[in-house]
Each structure stands twice: as structure tokens, then as C-alpha cells.
Amino acid sequence: MRNKVDTFVEFPMRSLDMTRYLLEPETAAPETAAPETTAPERCLYDLAAIAVHHGSGVGSGHYTAYGCHEGRWYHFNDSTVTLTDEEAVTKAKAYILFYTETPRGSQDPTGRGAATAAPGQTHADTLCSSGRTEPSLPCV
């Protein structure tokens, strides 16, 4: 018998530090170690997207996703793309979390700007200045 694991998992939005999971943490002084063998001081990652499974069973249900683009979070649900906020993202029951490496030396350690559109606006309201109403990748 198969059952869906329905446990909520807390996850960081920014600066997930993976340094302790490196196979060989930096042990040599940087000036004496070869550049290709020196491990980074910190391995930081920011949340980029989440896949979410809605439904009670492993053989049925529906998948949606949250994704971040230029500092704004969007909820992708079939043919609908809706602007959302970080709070909604943190409350999602994540199935898969996708992280990207935090840019080093960035003024904004998250690599993201501030969101300027209001939550609840649709894809056409926030992304497409061309007048198209259907979701489309090139309209950003």
C-alpha cells in the first residue's frame, strides 16, 4: 500500500547554507591551497521555485508551481499565472524545492529586487505589456 507523505516542511527563502554538506571543507589556508582545491567559505542558495502536489494520493492529484522572477513570486496553475507574495510561498506544502546559488559580492544577497505589483494580479495584468492575455514566456 502506498500513501502520500503529507508533512509540512519548513524551508528558507534566502541564504540556505550548505557548507556543512561539502565533502571536503576548506582545511588549508587559502594562500597555500591550490585554487581548484579550495572550497568556498560558504555555499549559500536562494529559493527560486517550488513544485507542489495537491491531492490525497500518490496516483492522483494536481501539480502547481511557484517561481520567482525579477524579485516577484508567481503561482503557476495550468493556464493561469498569478502574482503572489512570499507568505503564500512559505505556506506551500513543497514537493520539490529548487534553489540557485547566491551571487557572491552582491549588494542584495538575495539577488532579487523588491516586488512592486500587488498580490492577486494575473499574468496579463503584471507581465504582458503587449496586450496578450494568454501566458507566454517572451512577454516578461
Side-chain angles (χ1 to χ4, degrees):
M1 183 168 181
R2 299 181 301 170
N3 292 320
K4 176 183 172 184
V5 176
D6 201 30
T7 304
F8 177 78
V9 176
E10 287 186 49
F11 50 90
M13 297 286 287
R14 291 175 196 81
S15 301
L16 171 63
D17 189 354
M18 299 295 288
T19 307
R20 67 181 178 185
Y21 300 104
L22 293 174
L23 291 177
E24 295 180 24
E26 185 174 16
T27 56
E31 60 275 357
T32 61
E36 64 276 2
T37 61
T38 303
E41 290 179 25
R42 296 179 79 190
C43 294
L44 298 177
Y45 295 86
D46 296 328
L47 187 64
I50 300 175
V52 180
H53 178 261
H54 305 272
S56 59
V58 292
S60 64
H62 179 70
Y63 289 93
T64 66
Y66 291 92
C68 185
H69 179 70
E70 295 182 350
R72 296 181 183 141
W73 281 96
Y74 298 91
H75 185 221
F76 298 85
N77 186 355
D78 291 337
S79 63
T80 304
V81 179
T82 307
L83 185 65
T84 191
D85 57 25
E86 284 191 10
E87 184 178 355
V89 175
T90 60
K91 290 181 179 179
K93 282 193 175 180
Y95 176 65
I96 302 174
L97 298 164
F98 298 88
Y99 284 86
T100 57
E101 188 173 13
T102 304
R104 290 181 184 258
S106 167
Q107 291 286 38
D108 177 6
T110 67
R112 302 181 178 110
T116 57
Q121 288 182 313
T122 65
H123 176 78
D125 294 335
T126 59
L127 295 179
C128 298
S129 59
S130 64
R132 291 180 295 199
T133 57
E134 74 279 3
S136 174
L137 291 176
C139 70
V140 176

